[in-house]
Amino acid sequence: MRTYMSLEVWGLALCLQLFGCSGSIGNVGSNPDDDSAGDNRPPKTGGAGGAPYDEVGTEAVVATTRSARLSHKQWENTVRDLLRLPLAPGLSTAFTGDSASGRFDNAGGALQVTEGLFVDYQQAAEALATRVFSDAALRATLLPANLPGDATDAARAFVQAFGKRAFRRPLTPAEVDAYAGLYSNGVQAFGEGDATAAGVRAVVEAMLQSPHFLYRIESGVEGSARVALNAYELASRLSYALANTMPDDELFAAAAEGRLEGGDDEVRAEVRAQAARLLSGNGGKEAVRDFYSQLLRLHTYEGIDKDPVKVPGFSRGIGLDMKKETLSFVAEVINQQGGGVTELYTAPYTFVNKRLALIYGVEGSFGVDFQKVQLNPEQRAGLLTQSGFLAVNAYSSEIDSIHRGVFVHNNVLCTDLPAPPPGDIPPLPEAGGKTNRERVTLHTGPGTCGGACHSQIINPAGFAFENYDAIGKYRSQENGNAIDASGEMDVGEPSMKWSEGVQFVKLVAKHPATHRCMTRAWLEYLYGRRPVDADEFVVEKTATASLSQNTPMTELVMELVTRDSFLYRAAP
C-alpha cells in the first residue's frame, strides 16, 4: 500500500539511526558472521569474540548483532502464524535470494535487505493484506475479542493486539497512535470496504513492511559487561532458534507475566521448560529436520544421477527417497528414541521403501511407503553408511573416496583442512584392473599435488567406505580384488585405527572431535551466527557431557539455549 509507505520509510531510517548501520540494512551492529567464508572449520585463535572464557574459567558472552533479519523460511513461518493461516503462503519463493553466510541460512546479522528484496517484501505485504481484506473468516481471527463499538477505540484495540504479535513486543504509545491513524483512514485509502475490513488491511500491509517485523531488534538492558535481553526479546530469540517462527501464545504469556526476566536461575528454568515444550511440538521437530537438512546438505540428494547400466539398482528420483530416509532416521533417533550424537552415527537401522530395500538387500514386502528395518550391523551403522551419503559422494558409475573423506572431516570432525591447490585437478587414472583405492593413492600420494594432506587425513577417512559402491550397495570385491577399507588417522586424541568401515564409523562416533563438531554446529544454528573463540568454553563443556554421558540431542540443544551466551550479549 504505497499510500502509507512514508510511515515505514521513516521506520527504516529510524532503525538505521538507532543502530548506526550504513549501506545495506543487514549490516547492523557487531556480527561474528560477517567474515564467514561458509566453511565448517573451528574458530581461529584471536578471532572475533575475545578469549574462550574469562579469568575465573566461566563462559564469556559475545557482542552480537542487535538487528537480525528474518530468513526467508522464518518470514514464511512468521506470516503463517501471525495471520493464523493454515499453511505458509509460499511467497518467498519469488524473493531475491540471500548470499550464503555460513552453513545455515539463519545468520540474521549477515542477511541484508537489498532494494530488490524490499520491493519483494512490499508486494508480499500488499498481497497478504488483500487476502485478509477479502476473507471475513480470516479477518475475524485477527480481531481481538469484544472489539469496542467506538471506531477510535476499535482501531486502537486492533493495533495493540495485532501489533504486539507482529512486532513480538507491546507497541509504544507513539506507534499505537500512528497505526491507529492508518486504520482510521483505511476506507479513504482503498476506496472500498467497510471501516473494519479496510482498517485491518491498512495496518496489516504497513506492519508487514516494518523493520520491527522484518528484523528481531534487541535493545536489552545495559549492564557493566553484559546486556540482558528483555522478556519479549528472549521469547523471540528462543522461538526463532527452536521453531523458526514468532513466539506462540504460551511464550507471549511467559514474557507478559515476567517469567523470562529477573533472577538467572528462574529465567534459566523457564527457558528450559519452554525449550522442552517447543522441541516436542511440530515447530521444534521441523527445526530439527531443518538443521540436519542443511548440515548434511540433503538438497544435494535430489540431484543424484547414476549410469543405470553400470550402477544396477539406480532409478530416476531415488535421491528423493534417500533424502526422506535420512530425515526419517534422524527423527527416529532424536524424537522417538531420545538418542544423541553416538546413536546418529551407530544405529543399525534405517527406513526404506521398495527401491531402497533393494540397495540394502533387506528381505520383506515393500511398497512406496517407508518402513523401519534392521540392517546387518557388520555392514551398516548410522548416517555415514546410508545410501544417500554414499551415493551423493560418488561419480556416475564409481565411488568418490576423496569427497567422502572431505565430507567426514568438514561436517563430522570439523577438521581444519587446507584449501585445495589452485587450477584444474586431473582425473583419476583408468581402472585397468586396479581398485579405486590404488588409483586414488597413485593420484594423491607422496610427490603429487595431494601430499600429506591426502595420504594422512583425507584419504584414510574416504577409504573407510570402499565397501560401498556408487549408490551405497555393500560389496566385498572390486574388479576381482578384495577390498581394503582399513586405515589409521590422527585428528587429536585418541588416534584412530580400523580394519573396515563400520569399525571406523564407531570410532568416529565416540571421538571427542565429533561431539565438539556437532555441538559447534548446533550452536551456530541456534545462535544464528558463526561460532567464535568466546564460545569454546560452552562448546567444550557441552561436548564433553555429550560424549561421557551420551547426552540426548534434545538435552544438548536445551543446554545451549540456557547458557549465558544465549541469554545475554556483550555490552557494546
Side-chain angles (χ1 to χ4, degrees):
M1 182 179 59
R2 291 166 177 80
T3 305
Y4 295 130
M5 281 301 296
S6 58
L7 176 68
E8 297 315 310
V9 171
W10 167 82
L12 287 170
L14 177 61
C15 179
L16 292 170
Q17 183 181 16
L18 282 173
F19 298 108
C21 59
S22 59
S24 298
I25 298 171
N27 300 329
V28 182
S30 173
N31 172 36
D33 286 306
D34 287 345
D35 62 351
S36 168
D39 61 33
N40 304 329
R41 289 173 281 183
K44 296 178 174 61
T45 302
Y53 41 84
D54 64 23
E55 291 80 0
V56 294
T58 57
E59 67 176 290
V61 295
V62 178
T64 59
T65 180
R66 298 176 66 185
S67 275
R69 204 210 79 196
L70 302 186
S71 69
H72 292 345
K73 184 186 294 98
Q74 292 170 343
W75 182 93
E76 286 279 354
N77 292 343
T78 302
V79 166
R80 177 200 63 203
D81 296 340
L82 174 63
L83 300 181
R84 305 194 189 281
L85 302 174
L87 298 171
L91 297 174
S92 69
T93 56
F95 284 3
T96 303
D98 288 322
S99 300
S101 57
R103 273 185 287 190
F104 304 105
D105 62 11
N106 64 346
L111 298 178
Q112 301 178 354
V113 177
T114 61
E115 183 178 352
L117 183 56
F118 185 78
V119 173
D120 295 334
Y121 284 146
Q122 181 185 53
Q123 293 174 343
E126 292 171 356
L128 290 165
T130 300
R131 178 175 176 180
V132 172
F133 175 77
S134 60
D135 188 335
L138 174 58
R139 191 166 60 251
T141 66
L142 304 181
L143 295 171
N146 302 316
L147 191 70
D150 178 79
T152 300
D153 291 342
R156 298 183 69 84
F158 172 73
V159 165
Q160 288 174 317
F162 183 78
K164 180 179 179 180
R165 298 180 64 245
F167 293 174
R168 282 88 68 180
R169 58 163 175 78
L171 272 61
T172 66
E175 288 171 330
V176 174
D177 291 342
Y179 285 105
L182 293 183
Y183 183 103
S184 299
N185 291 324
V187 173
Q188 178 182 350
F190 296 115
E192 61 177 328
D194 61 37
T196 299
V200 169
R201 178 182 181 181
V203 172
V204 168
E205 187 173 313
M207 285 189 175
L208 290 182
Q209 297 172 73
S210 170
H212 298 284
F213 171 77
L214 300 172
Y215 285 83
R216 291 189 295 108
I217 298 175
E218 298 176 349
S219 56
V221 179
E222 298 294 337
S224 57
R226 302 180 176 204
V227 178
L229 304 180
N230 70 39
Y232 289 97
E233 292 167 354
L234 184 53
S236 283
R237 182 177 280 197
L238 185 64
S239 185
Y240 281 103
L242 296 179
N244 272 318
T245 191
M246 61 181 284
D248 59 11
D249 292 342
E250 173 61 27
L251 265 177
F252 272 127
E257 294 165 9
R259 287 183 274 145
L260 292 174
E261 59 186 356
D264 280 354
D265 290 343
E266 292 83 355
V267 172
R268 238 177 280 276
E270 181 65 24
V271 168
R272 175 173 286 274
Q274 294 289 348
R277 181 181 65 83
L278 291 172
L279 285 170
S280 66
N282 291 334
K285 292 175 181 177
E286 179 55 37
V288 170
R289 287 171 54 90
D290 181 54
F291 171 80
Y292 283 102
S293 290
Q294 295 190 65
L295 180 69
L296 303 174
R297 298 176 55 79
L298 296 188
H299 69 279
T300 61
Y301 288 19
E302 299 172 17
I304 289 174
D305 190 23
K306 306 296 176 185
D307 183 334
V309 175
K310 296 181 179 180
V311 185
F314 173 76
S315 56
R316 302 294 176 191
I318 199 170
L320 291 172
D321 294 345
M322 294 172 175
K323 180 178 179 179
K324 186 171 183 178
E325 172 200 0
T326 297
L327 289 174
S328 299
F329 172 80
V330 167
E332 175 72 14
V333 169
I334 295 175
N335 299 326
Q336 300 301 320
Q337 303 299 326
V341 176
T342 301
E343 287 78 11
L344 283 174
Y345 294 119
T346 60
Y349 57 78
T350 193
F351 290 79
V352 302
N353 59 5
K354 183 177 181 178
R355 293 199 291 187
L356 293 183
L358 295 175
I359 292 177
Y360 288 108
V362 293
E363 298 181 355
S365 177
F366 300 94
V368 296
D369 295 332
F370 280 70
Q371 301 178 38
K372 182 181 178 181
V373 295
Q374 296 295 320
L375 302 176
N376 183 340
E378 296 181 357
Q379 298 178 1
R380 307 284 176 174
L383 289 169
L384 297 180
T385 60
Q386 287 184 354
S387 60
F389 163 73
L390 297 164
V392 81
N393 290 291
Y395 299 112
S396 63
S397 61
E398 300 176 320
I399 69 174
D400 185 352
S401 302
I402 293 175
H403 281 95
R404 287 176 178 180
V406 167
F407 184 94
V408 169
H409 281 288
N410 275 345
N411 297 282
V412 181
L413 297 168
C414 285
T415 306
D416 192 3
L417 294 178
D424 295 333
I425 300 176
L428 290 177
E430 295 294 329
K434 292 184 174 64
T435 65
N436 176 76
R437 179 169 184 153
E438 290 172 329
R439 295 162 62 206
V440 172
T441 300
L442 287 172
H443 187 58
T444 61
T448 69
C449 64
C453 180
H454 271 278
S455 63
Q456 298 176 21
I457 302 175
I458 295 175
N459 290 359
F463 290 153
F465 304 102
E466 293 296 290
N467 285 107
Y468 306 95
D469 72 6
I471 202 172
K473 282 185 177 180
Y474 188 85
R475 60 185 186 170
S476 57
Q477 290 192 334
E478 179 187 7
N479 295 328
N481 301 299
I483 286 178
D484 179 9
S486 66
E488 56 184 294
M489 186 171 66
D490 185 0
V491 289
E493 291 296 330
S495 59
M496 293 186 281
K497 187 174 183 178
W498 62 92
S499 59
E500 46 79 31
V502 168
Q503 185 182 11
F504 169 74
V505 169
K506 290 182 177 179
L507 290 172
V508 166
K510 65 180 183 180
H511 199 281
T514 302
H515 291 257
R516 284 194 296 268
C517 192
M518 183 67 75
T519 302
R520 194 175 288 115
W522 266 116
L523 186 146
E524 181 175 350
Y525 184 84
L526 296 169
Y527 291 16
R529 60 170 175 79
R530 287 270 290 163
V532 294
D533 286 348
D535 296 312
E536 286 305 286
F537 177 85
V538 170
V539 169
E540 189 65 32
K541 182 178 177 65
T542 307
T544 298
S546 173
L547 178 61
S548 63
Q549 302 171 23
N550 196 25
T551 304
M553 197 65 69
T554 52
E555 179 63 30
L556 185 152
V557 169
M558 288 191 289
E559 173 68 15
L560 289 175
V561 298
T562 53
R563 303 299 306 191
D564 284 1
S565 44
F566 186 85
L567 304 176
Y568 297 85
R569 69 170 185 273

